[in-house]
């Protein structure tokens, strides 16, 4: 990705050693006291987050999430993000990270639209792309296939893995996804396997079974059971009867299958769960 050249920043402002003459020390200290964001009314909280500083941005964003402000908070978070446009070229700033994470936590239509706009911005640097893509996956953003495909071949494994997750909503043909199954990075292969499995392509079965044996996450379980045959039903059912992890998930998924064996195993799992 090419970037527009950024202009040199102005030299940092120097302190005026005589600028505070005649001002009491207590008055100076009072200017620097942070107000607890918990004391803000909702509208004031939203106004403050737009001009948040490093010292209070986390507390402000936390309050937005805890109060479930939703649509009303999105403009303030967008303003916070826009304030730092052109920064974070090498390393993302905390304010940028929290703006995106909070939009992801809100997750409504307005937040989705804001994240989508951030992703299509021509000046979004590669350093911020993983954060934006993570927010997009958090809100299950539906992006056009043509927009996601270039990220499947990105140099960053994080970007490739997130892209394979995002492209699932576009239901692309298998040949677009198969490159991920042989990716040199295990996290990318795992993300590609999950997407291929969720889309019903049985070419992912052996890889998903291998991942299930190593690290049976909920994503792997769902993708594997999307391909459920007798072997998968027996393997996942036996695992759930011997391990508490994902018992409810496996029982629920097996219950949805139109298969007598799956129904019987799901019932056994649920009985065992009730007896704990």
């Amino acid at each position: 990705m090419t970037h527009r050249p950024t202009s040199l920043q102005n030299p940092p402002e120097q302190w005026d050693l005589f600028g505070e003459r005649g001002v009491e020390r207590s008055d100076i200290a009072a200017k620097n006291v942070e107000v607890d964001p918990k004391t803000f009314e909702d509208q004031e909280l939203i106004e403050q987050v737009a001009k948040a500083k490093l010292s209070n941005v986390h507390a402000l964003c936390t309050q937005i999430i805890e109060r479930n402000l939703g649509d009303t908070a999105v403009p303030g978070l967008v303003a916070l993000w826009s304030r730092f446009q052109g920064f974070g070229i090498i390393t993302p700033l905390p304010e940028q990270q929290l703006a995106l994470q909070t939009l992801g936590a809100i997750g409504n239509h307005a937040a989705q639209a804001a994240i989508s706009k951030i992703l299509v911005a021509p000046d979004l640097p590669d350093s911020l792309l993983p954060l934006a893509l993570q927010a997009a996956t958090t809100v299950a953003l539906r992006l056009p296939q043509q927009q996601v495909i270039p990220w499947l071949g990105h140099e960053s494994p994080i970007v490739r893995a997130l892209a394979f997750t995002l492209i699932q909503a576009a239901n692309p043909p298998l040949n677009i996804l198969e490159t991920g199954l042989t990716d040199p990075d295990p996290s990318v292969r795992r993300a590609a396997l999950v997407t291929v499995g969720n889309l019903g392509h049985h070419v992912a079965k052996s890889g998903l079974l291998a991942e299930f044996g190593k690290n049976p996450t909920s994503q792997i379980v769902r993708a594997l059971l999307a391909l459920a045959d007798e072997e998968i039903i027996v393997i996942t059912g036996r695992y759930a009867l011997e391990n508490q992890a994902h018992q409810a998930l496996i029982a629920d998924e097996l219950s949805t299958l139109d298969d007598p064996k799956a129904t019987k195993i799901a019932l056994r799992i649920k009985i065992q769960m009730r007896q704990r």
Side-chain angles (χ1 to χ4, degrees):
M1 178 182 293
T2 58
H3 308 289
R4 297 177 182 176
T6 55
S7 58
L8 293 176
Q9 299 179 23
N10 293 327
E13 181 181 355
Q14 295 187 11
W15 290 103
D16 181 357
L17 299 179
F18 306 99
E20 301 291 351
R21 283 185 174 179
V23 180
E24 295 292 334
R25 287 184 178 273
S26 59
D27 294 336
I28 298 171
K31 294 178 183 178
N32 297 322
V33 172
E34 293 288 353
V35 179
D36 186 352
K38 293 180 182 179
T39 66
F40 292 148
E41 296 293 331
D42 289 352
Q43 186 55 43
E44 186 180 9
L45 178 65
I46 293 165
E47 292 171 358
Q48 289 296 320
V49 80
K51 50 187 178 182
K53 301 175 291 185
L54 181 60
S55 59
N56 65 1
V57 64
H58 186 275
L60 289 165
C61 289
T62 298
Q63 279 297 300
I64 284 174
I65 295 170
E66 289 183 355
R67 298 188 195 186
N68 194 26
L69 294 183
D71 284 353
T72 57
V74 171
L77 292 165
V78 171
L80 174 62
W81 170 268
S82 300
R83 273 178 53 211
F84 295 96
Q85 188 172 3
F87 293 86
I89 301 297
I90 305 300
T91 303
L93 303 180
E95 295 91 339
Q96 295 170 317
Q97 182 174 356
L98 283 163
L100 279 171
Q101 287 178 343
T102 309
L103 285 169
I106 292 173
N108 59 16
H109 180 73
Q112 291 175 350
I115 293 168
S116 180
K117 188 173 180 180
I118 288 170
L119 274 171
V120 300
D123 55 353
L124 180 70
D126 270 2
S127 60
L128 297 177
L129 181 58
L131 291 177
L133 290 175
Q134 182 62 66
T137 60
T138 300
V139 301
L141 193 62
R142 301 180 69 90
L143 295 172
Q145 179 177 297
Q146 294 79 2
Q147 183 178 351
V148 183
I149 286 176
W151 295 326
L152 299 178
H154 196 276
E155 63 181 2
S156 168
I158 298 173
V159 171
R160 296 200 303 274
L162 291 168
F164 275 106
T165 299
L166 278 172
I167 205 168
Q168 180 177 312
N171 193 13
L174 178 59
N175 66 298
I176 289 178
L177 303 172
E178 283 180 318
T179 56
L181 301 180
T182 56
D183 194 279
D185 188 273
S187 66
V188 180
R189 292 197 303 272
R190 195 177 304 115
L193 280 167
V194 168
T195 291
V196 173
N198 284 335
L199 293 177
H201 300 297
H202 284 266
V203 67
K205 177 183 173 180
S206 61
L208 285 170
L209 282 172
E211 289 294 332
F212 182 76
K214 293 184 295 184
N215 184 22
T217 64
S218 58
Q219 292 83 4
I220 294 293
V221 169
R222 288 192 179 93
L224 191 56
L225 287 171
L227 304 175
D229 55 18
E230 184 172 0
E231 181 184 15
I232 291 173
I233 290 169
V234 170
I235 290 173
T236 55
R238 182 185 299 124
Y239 172 85
L241 289 168
E242 296 174 353
N243 302 273
Q244 292 186 15
H246 310 306
Q247 275 187 330
L249 171 60
I250 293 173
D252 289 343
E253 293 289 330
L254 290 175
S255 297
T256 64
L257 301 177
D258 186 18
D259 183 278
K261 180 172 286 188
T263 302
K264 183 178 179 180
I265 294 174
L267 181 59
R268 287 179 59 193
I269 296 170
K270 290 177 180 179
I271 291 172
Q272 186 184 97
M273 290 171 62
R274 286 196 295 267
Q275 291 175 342
R276 284 209 301 268

